[in-house]
Amino acid sequence: TSETTELSSLPWQTAYQNLTNAFDEDDGGFGGGPKFPQPSNLSFLLRFHVNRIGTETQKKNVLRMVTQTLEQMQDGGIHDPLAGGFHRYAVDQEWRVPHFEKMLYDQALLTIVYLETYQITKNQTFLKTAKRTLDYVLNYLTSPDGGFYSAEDAESLPHKEATTKEEGAFYIWTADEIKKILESKNYEIFAQAYGIEDNGNVSFRNDPRGELKNQNVLYRKASDNQLVQTFERDESEIKTSLAKSLETLHNARQQRPHPHLDNKIIAEWNGLMISAFAKAYQITQNSQYLDTAIKAADFLKTKMTDPKNGRLIRIYLDGPGDTEAFCADYANVINGLLDLYEASFQIEWLQWAAELQAIQEKLFYDLEQNTYFSTAKGQGDIIVRMRNGYDGATPSENAISVLNLLRLASLTGKTEFANQATEIILSFQDTLESHPQSMSQLLLATDFLLYKPKQIILASTKEDPALLPFLQEIHQRFIPRKVLILADDAEGQKYLSQDNPFIAEIQPIDNKPTAFVCEDFTCKLPTNDLKIFKGQL
């Protein structure tokens, strides 16, 4: 549209410049301590790396910034090497000493960034960190019914007889404790690898109140290669020794009093986590990830949706709460359902996403300003209804909604969704141009709008094993502007054809899974030849 031409790539260049200026060349991340992971900025940089805006030098630079940050974080004390998962933030510049709280939304957003960076770099350690983070969520933050709990506290009792909780007590160690638990030959390697010091490894600068005096925070100080040289052992011996030590310490830590579990189930954060498990399934084909995402979506549908009006409930705690969901809940649940449809090809998730989108329009959309309010009219005791385009700890609901609308337009062929998305972006344009790095998620949405998404339509039944190589071909690549559609000659295809007769026509060739790679439903020649499909991607 003519309006789209008003959108330019200028904010992308400004955001790139601002993030480059703030980048910590020594330790990764942005700014000094306290240092937060900022996954929205990392997601933006990954898309800058693959889109048509930056120069080759800039593209290399952004990938270096992301990989360095992810490496330093996974090696830092902000990452838990025993159970997986990330703490909320680091108090220092080196990611060494965390604030020990673990939040569900961080696990979701960081998993996705690690997975996407793995798709680009094929670096196995990023995939491993993503899987370990999902393991942590499965083991500690998943309710028996399938919903995801909110957080684990930073404080806990230092031992069973104690009466006062202390920051990080569950996670920290004296050197003597570790010596008693590990065999001496393994201790030497472990101490070198994880920076263990007899008098503790936390400096006064990072612990002015002395809460961590004589204690060690586990962080990866020496690489396997360095340990091979220091101890003159084979790499396989080093790996085996460290794996055994980590398992032994994890088992010992399990005997300690655990931090308090915040077992509220929040719709918004569950939407984020469904996305993470759905994307992890696409990349790994680990069916547990897909089952987990489906079970969580089922939980939201059966336990956190008002059966009378189909509206979402924001919080579940031993039963659904009284608070109606905010716009952020709708946006992130819809996003999770779109990802779940593309991972499972179960049409019910796309149908439910479209139903929730209609409810979101009714409750939150401001026709005068063309943006979403954060809260519904008359919701609770809220005096002023805010419109938010800035990313905070989680991406802004307006930005996520724009992406949802653009994806729905590409999935269903309903152009009104795309027109509305354009209106929302234009209403934030002034702020987008002046403070783009604070609106990383909205920048991703402009990318989706400026450069048409790739529609990949697969004509096949879900069950056909010959479909898998086509899916693997798609998911081993990082293609941020894509929507995935299954023309299954069944309920799914029928639903998708309602507003888009083009989908009704699509059939496999010679009864084999057939791929149609399209933009705006204008397609390249259909193919069931994997080599040709590779070239089209």
Side-chain angles (χ1 to χ4, degrees), residues 131 208 250 501 531:
K131 287 174 167 175
H250 181 248
K531 273 194 185 142

Side-chain angles (χ1 to χ4, degrees), residues 91-157:
V91 301
D92 61 321
Q93 193 160 331
E94 296 90 9
W95 304 107
R96 187 84 52 83
V97 182
H99 169 56
F100 288 90
E101 190 176 22
K102 282 179 168 178
M103 309 298 297
L104 179 68
Y105 57 77
D106 280 324
Q107 315 314 320
L109 293 166
L110 284 169
T111 294
I112 291 168
V113 172
Y114 274 94
L115 287 171
E116 290 182 342
T117 311
Y118 163 72
Q119 283 176 314
I120 294 171
T121 62
K122 300 293 180 276
N123 180 333
Q124 289 292 328
T125 64
F126 294 149
L127 181 60
K128 185 180 170 191
T129 299
K131 287 174 167 175
R132 298 276 291 128
T133 306
L134 295 174
D135 286 345
Y136 164 69
V137 173
L138 286 166
N139 293 331
Y140 296 92
L141 295 182
T142 305
S143 77
D145 288 340
F148 301 113
Y149 299 133
S150 294
E152 283 193 301
D153 281 2
E155 297 180 335
S156 57
L157 296 171

Side-chain angles (χ1 to χ4, degrees), residues 56-73:
E56 284 312 305
T57 306
Q58 288 176 329
K59 288 179 179 189
K60 278 187 187 143
N61 187 38
V62 291
L63 190 59
R64 177 189 66 85
M65 283 157 66
V66 174
T67 53
Q68 186 184 338
T69 300
L70 296 186
E71 282 164 1
Q72 307 263 145
M73 278 173 51

Side-chain angles (χ1 to χ4, degrees), residues 64 76-77 127 131 191 216 315 354 371 376 403 413 459 492 510 533:
R64 177 189 66 85
L127 181 60
K131 287 174 167 175
N216 289 278
I315 291 170
T371 54
L403 276 168
D510 300 335
F533 179 57

